[in-house]
């Protein structure tokens, strides 16, 4: 396993082609805008060596028997699934941000499960390839990005109906030694500071869309791969110092990139699906289930930090004992713990797949994520309410560092007498960072937009059974238990009343 | 006496678990401390009542799953240590 420092060092050895703000990034590890995201990912490595946390950050590989980082583990029990969400909450608390590494973890687990089923139907050899790849990832302790979301062009059209065929990643050539792929994946978390990219299809496909049924892995610096790092609200505040960005060490959200594959060669040993269009929806659903499981872990860890920040601000501004403030902070805790319950529940209700790996309960995992598309907006609203208008009107760090204005800010932006003004400013900036910027749309769309969860919930909830239950209670269908309880039929029982 | 310290993963601790380790190291100067199960006594430190630290531990161990105060921490350990010395 690598520790945090070794992970950062490992990035310096790679040469990915990355652009940001019109310039080429020379070193992901050292660029001031990207470095905080790197630090957040590094935490997933560092805690594996801390005896206080290693029990959940490490696991034993079922493939090699070696001790590995849990982010490279294939879940072997419901206990593993639970430990995964425990690990995510912990890392949310330690970084107050997205630490990015869950996507690759979910990708290897989804591939492990699906490749087994593909092989069973078609006699292919994907599962062995996936296993070999996972062994490599475990041994080197790599961070693969998980790239599922295609750019999709006109959303009303299928991949094969798009005017430009490259708007979904596709196979453009099959060769003796491998395949050539073309297309782009959008919003890919942690891609710029990953070692590898795992690509999977983004949706169910039909028989005439075999070219889009492709899953594979390539190194981030493979020839033909270009990444354009996305802008975030307030991202360049990182160049101004360590106060205005609110979370200078670990940034906010994962740091997402548009990844373009311009005729990239993938050797066969890294191809995990190639034309099996009828398994695309399974791969998407399994991946989505794992990924939606996560959000009541990581987001709740981040919410823990926001709740703490809000409570600190309340103290610093002299309102901590006001009943409505206590109520609002309690409400934030209630919302966060509700999401935690969801993540735990879908993990404890997980099950063994034919591959031997475990996956969470899909219905409950989708419920988890659907709550996350709502509750963070509410807990952020409460944080902003308690913090006051200052959450968006604070003077800049530069004005605070300027001796001319610093004394004025120190005097007039003081809260309670015994707290330095700078502490109050730092805490308010943290509330701003966690409740206003990229955090919220990430809750909305990361792991799929709300409608995607609604579709899965509708499909998995067995509405017919619920209709049947209602008919029995309403006396439209016979109730076998009532007859046993009373010894006579419902008709006879109620005829006495008529 | 070799004392092994075994922490749970600390996902949502209800108290600062390190306090227990600090007390033991400060007060039990004659003992050696390790982060290992290979010890005369294992001190399991869980952050909450779920008690993950003690889940797969057998043999001689004591388990903390809440903050009980410095005195009680020491009493619990010392009682166990004298039990071990007697046996
Ligand atoms: C911060 C962040 C991190 C992310 N990280 C990753 C990652 O690491 N890996 C990855 O693969 N993806 C990642 N994603 C992508 C995420 O899964 C997508 O954002 C999500 O699936 C929605 O896709 P979209 O953004 O293209 O929005 P769209 O699909 O354009 O959705 C916008 C709206 O259009 C609706 N819509 C879309 N298609 C249709 C249709 N056919 N009919 C009717 N309505 C439609 C949607 O329901 C939604 O309301 C990330 C996203 C974010 C915001």
């Amino acid at each position: 396993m690598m520790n945090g420092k070794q992970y950062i060092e490992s990035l310096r050895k790679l040469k990915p082609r990355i652009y940001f703000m019109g310039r080429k990034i020379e070193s992901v590890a050292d660029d001031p805008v990207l470095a905080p995201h790197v630090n957040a990912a590094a935490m997933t490595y560092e805690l594996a060596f801390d005896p206080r946390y290693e029990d959940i950050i490490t696991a034993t590989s079922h493939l090699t028997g070696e001790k590995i980082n849990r982010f490279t583990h294939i879940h072997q029990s419901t206990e593993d699934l639970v430990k995964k969400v425990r690990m995510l909450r912990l890392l949310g608390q330690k970084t107050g941000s997205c630490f990015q590494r869950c996507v690759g973890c979910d990708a290897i687990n989804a591939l492990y499960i699906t490749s087994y089923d593909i092989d069973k139907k078609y006699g292919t050899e994907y599962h062995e390839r996936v296993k070999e790849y996972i062994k490599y990832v475990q041994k080197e302790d790599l961070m693969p990005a998980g790239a599922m979301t295609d750019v999709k062009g006109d959303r009303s059209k299928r991949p094969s109906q798009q005017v430009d065929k490259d708007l979904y990643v596709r196979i453009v050539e099959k060769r003796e030694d491998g395949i050539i792929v073309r297309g782009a994946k959008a919003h890919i978390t942690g891609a710029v500071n990953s070692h590898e990219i795992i690509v999977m299809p983004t949706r169910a496909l039909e028989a005439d869309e075999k070219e889009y049924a492709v899953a594979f892995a390539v190194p981030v610096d493979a020839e033909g791969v270009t990444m354009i790092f996305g802008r975030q609200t307030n991202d360049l505040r990182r160049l101004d110092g360590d106060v205005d960005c609110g979370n200078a060490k670990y940034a906010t959200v994962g740091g997402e990139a548009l990844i373009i594959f311009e005729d990239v060669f993938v050797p066969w040993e890294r191809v995990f699906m190639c034309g099996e269009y009828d398994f695309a929806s399974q791969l998407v659903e399994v991946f989505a289930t794992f990924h939606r499981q996560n959000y009541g872990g990581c987001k709740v860890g981040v919410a823990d930090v926001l709740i703490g920040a809000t409570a600190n601000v309340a103290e610093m501004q002299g309102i901590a004992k006001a009943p409505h403030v206590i109520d609002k902070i309690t409400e934030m805790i209630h919302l966060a713990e509700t999401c935690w319950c969801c993540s735990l529940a879908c993990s404890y209700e997980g099950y063994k797949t034919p591959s031997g790996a475990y996956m969470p309960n899909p219905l409950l995992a989708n419920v988890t994520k659907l709550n996350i598309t709502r509750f963070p907006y509410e807990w952020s609203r409460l944080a902003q309410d308690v913090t006051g208008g200052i959450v968006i009107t604070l003077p800049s760090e530069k004005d605070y560092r300027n001796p001319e204005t610093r004394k004025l800010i120190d005097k007039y932006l003081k809260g309670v007498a015994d707290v330095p003004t700078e502490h109050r400013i730092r805490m308010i900036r943290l509330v701003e960072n966690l409740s206003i910027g990229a955090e919220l749309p990430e809750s909305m769309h990361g792991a799929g937009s709300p409608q995607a969860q609604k579709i899965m919930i509708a499909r998995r909830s067995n509405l017919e059974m619920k209709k049947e239950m209602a008919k029995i209670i309403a006396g439209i269908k016979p109730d076998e238990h009532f007859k046993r309880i009373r010894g006579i039929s419902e008709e006879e029982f109620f005829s006495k009343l008529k | 006496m070799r004392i092994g310290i075994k922490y749970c993963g600390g996902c949502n601790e209800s108290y600062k678990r390190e306090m227990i380790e600090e007390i033991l190291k400060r007060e039990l100067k004659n003992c050696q401390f390790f982060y290992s199960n290979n010890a005369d006594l294992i001190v399991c430190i869980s952050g909450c009542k779920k008690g993950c630290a003690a889940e797969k531990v057998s043999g001689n161990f004591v388990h903390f799953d809440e903050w009980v105060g410095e005195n009680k921490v020491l009493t619990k350990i010392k009682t166990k240590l004298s039990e071990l010395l007697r046996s």
Side-chain angles (χ1 to χ4, degrees):
Chain A
M1 291 189 298
M2 284 192 274
N3 61 26
K5 217 167 167 189
Q6 288 165 330
Y7 158 69
I8 291 178
E9 204 44 56
S10 73
L11 295 180
R12 294 200 178 101
K13 294 186 190 130
L14 299 169
K15 294 277 165 259
R17 195 160 172 253
I18 304 163
Y19 290 90
F20 179 61
M21 299 291 290
R23 64 190 168 92
K24 191 157 183 274
I25 301 291
E26 291 308 324
S27 167
V28 169
D30 304 299
D31 188 277
V33 179
L34 304 190
H37 295 294
V38 173
N39 297 340
M43 190 68 85
T44 70
Y45 286 90
E46 188 56 29
L47 294 194
F49 290 86
D50 189 322
R52 290 168 298 171
Y53 307 111
E54 65 170 339
D55 188 56
I56 50 177
I57 308 278
T58 62
T60 302
S61 168
H62 76 296
L63 296 171
T64 63
E66 299 284 324
K67 184 175 178 181
I68 52 169
N69 191 298
R70 185 170 293 282
F71 281 102
T72 67
H73 186 48
I74 300 299
H75 315 297
Q76 297 299 301
S77 61
T78 51
E79 191 195 341
D80 271 347
L81 295 171
V82 172
K83 281 199 168 174
K84 177 192 171 201
V85 295
R86 290 190 189 284
M87 165 173 81
L88 302 181
R89 184 167 186 175
L90 170 69
L91 284 159
Q93 293 171 343
K94 293 288 178 201
T95 59
S97 187
C98 167
F99 34 87
Q100 312 138 39
R101 216 173 158 191
C102 64
V103 204
C105 172
D106 297 337
I108 55 173
N109 276 277
L111 283 171
Y112 188 91
I113 289 170
T114 308
S115 61
Y116 182 90
D117 293 345
I118 301 178
D119 287 0
K120 235 166 82 185
K121 179 166 178 189
Y122 289 112
T124 40
E125 53 184 49
Y126 297 123
H127 193 60
E128 271 313 305
R129 286 183 198 167
V130 169
K131 277 190 351 203
E132 285 308 309
Y133 179 65
I134 293 169
K135 278 192 216 165
Y136 166 64
V137 167
Q138 290 180 342
K139 182 161 175 281
E140 303 295 326
D141 203 3
L142 299 179
M143 168 166 158
M148 176 166 274
T149 310
D150 283 291
V151 288
K152 297 184 291 207
D154 181 343
R155 270 71 172 151
S156 69
K157 294 189 162 71
R158 305 189 59 79
S160 54
Q161 296 167 336
Q162 299 288 331
V163 175
D164 182 345
K165 291 186 83 174
D166 299 338
L167 296 180
Y168 286 77
V169 170
R170 66 192 182 104
I171 306 159
V172 289
E173 193 187 334
K174 280 188 196 170
R175 297 189 345 200
E176 209 152 86
D177 50 351
I179 58 173
I180 306 288
V181 294
R182 188 186 300 159
K185 293 282 184 183
H187 329 291
I188 306 308
T189 297
V192 296
N193 51 295
S194 292
H195 305 100
E196 294 265 315
I197 305 165
I198 296 176
V199 170
M200 299 160 285
T202 204
R203 53 168 296 160
L205 297 167
E206 293 185 353
D208 61 347
E209 294 173 324
K210 285 185 181 163
E211 68 194 288
Y212 297 101
V214 62
F216 60 87
V218 287
V220 279
D221 52 2
E223 213 181 317
V225 174
T226 303
M227 294 190 244
I228 306 172
F229 191 66
R231 285 220 74 174
Q232 286 181 345
T233 319
N234 301 334
D235 49 8
L236 294 191
R237 286 189 186 185
R238 285 168 211 163
L239 306 177
D240 297 339
D242 68 334
V243 177
D244 284 356
C245 30
N247 185 351
K249 285 178 288 194
Y250 305 112
T252 190
V253 186
E256 280 65 36
L258 175 67
I259 311 180
I260 300 111
F261 300 87
E262 290 178 291
D263 292 357
V264 173
F265 170 71
V266 188
W268 283 116
E269 62 266 27
R270 291 286 184 264
V271 177
F272 309 130
M273 171 188 274
C274 185
E276 293 79 10
Y277 72 94
D278 47 337
F279 281 91
S281 66
Q282 176 181 330
L283 184 53
V284 173
E285 281 188 26
V286 175
F287 172 81
T289 297
F290 279 120
H291 210 41
R292 291 171 192 169
Q293 169 206 18
N294 299 348
Y295 273 67
C298 60
K299 284 283 168 193
V300 171
V302 174
D304 288 330
V305 178
L306 177 62
I307 292 163
T310 309
N312 280 325
V313 169
E315 277 175 17
M316 290 170 174
Q317 302 186 157
I319 54 167
K321 295 206 171 88
H324 80 98
V325 171
I326 295 169
D327 182 67
K328 280 165 187 159
I329 290 173
T330 309
E331 178 67 11
M332 291 173 77
I333 297 167
H334 161 72
L335 292 166
E337 297 297 344
T338 303
C339 295
W340 177 236
C341 294
C342 292
S343 268
L344 285 179
C346 71
S347 308
Y348 278 117
E349 292 289 295
Y351 58 88
K352 192 175 184 175
T353 64
S355 70
Y358 276 67
M359 68 176 276
N361 176 295
L363 171 64
L364 299 185
N366 278 279
V367 169
T368 306
K369 176 65 217 318
L370 189 59
N371 280 339
I372 289 291
T373 68
R374 298 171 179 165
F375 290 8
Y377 286 81
E378 182 59 14
W379 69 55
S380 297
R381 190 181 76 80
L382 293 164
Q384 291 167 16
D385 177 348
V386 171
T387 304
I390 194 91
V391 74
I392 51 158
T393 64
L394 264 181
S396 72
E397 180 173 354
K398 287 201 167 138
D399 288 318
Y400 192 60
R401 301 281 170 233
N402 176 354
E404 287 293 303
T405 41
R406 180 174 184 135
K407 54 182 185 293
L408 299 173
I409 294 172
D410 263 337
K411 178 177 166 66
Y412 289 106
L413 289 187
K414 186 123 189 114
V416 295
D418 59 345
V419 172
T421 303
E422 181 173 340
H423 290 190
R424 180 179 177 225
I425 290 175
R426 282 183 180 273
M427 206 47 80
I428 292 168
R429 284 293 181 208
L430 181 56
V431 172
E432 181 194 24
N433 167 286
L434 293 172
S435 70
I436 291 177
E439 272 293 327
L440 293 176
E442 207 261 316
S443 304
M444 178 69 77
H445 290 291
S449 315
Q451 191 55 22
Q453 286 109 62
K454 282 269 176 73
I455 291 168
M456 290 295 293
I457 290 169
R459 210 186 284 163
R460 298 264 176 178
S461 63
N462 201 353
L463 192 56
E464 287 311 310
M465 194 86 138
K466 297 185 201 303
K467 282 158 67 181
E468 189 79 4
M469 290 165 195
K471 282 178 184 164
I472 293 169
I473 301 295
I476 297 170
K477 284 205 152 188
D479 184 335
E480 55 164 319
H481 296 108
F482 187 88
K483 195 172 174 182
R484 274 189 232 145
I485 291 165
R486 281 290 170 180
I488 49 174
S489 71
E490 288 172 65
E491 290 79 24
E492 272 180 86
F493 185 82
F494 289 111
S495 67
K496 293 177 198 154
L497 302 177
K498 288 178 189 162
Chain B
M1 187 74 81
R2 291 163 54 91
I3 297 189
I5 292 179
K6 168 94 172 62
Y7 279 103
C8 71
C11 65
N12 197 25
E13 54 193 16
S14 61
Y15 66 100
K16 239 177 149 337
R17 295 170 301 155
E18 298 88 327
M19 287 190 299
I20 292 177
E21 181 179 348
E22 282 161 21
I23 293 168
L24 300 186
K25 286 186 171 165
R26 193 182 65 226
E27 298 294 328
L28 305 174
K29 288 264 182 334
N30 295 334
C31 297
Q32 296 162 288
F33 291 91
F34 304 88
Y35 297 114
S36 158
N37 284 2
N38 184 12
D40 304 314
L41 173 67
I42 304 167
V43 177
C44 303
I45 309 178
S46 296
C48 74
K49 287 284 178 189
K50 176 77 174 62
C52 296
E55 253 168 20
K56 286 181 184 151
V57 177
S58 53
N60 294 318
F61 72 94
V62 286
H63 183 205
F64 296 97
D65 57 11
E66 64 183 339
W67 178 241
V68 288
E70 183 162 342
N71 286 346
K72 282 193 178 158
V73 169
L74 275 174
T75 312
K76 195 167 173 179
I77 292 282
K78 284 181 176 165
T79 312
K80 187 75 186 178
L81 284 176
S82 29
E83 245 176 66
L84 285 177
L85 287 172
R86 274 201 305 272
S87 61

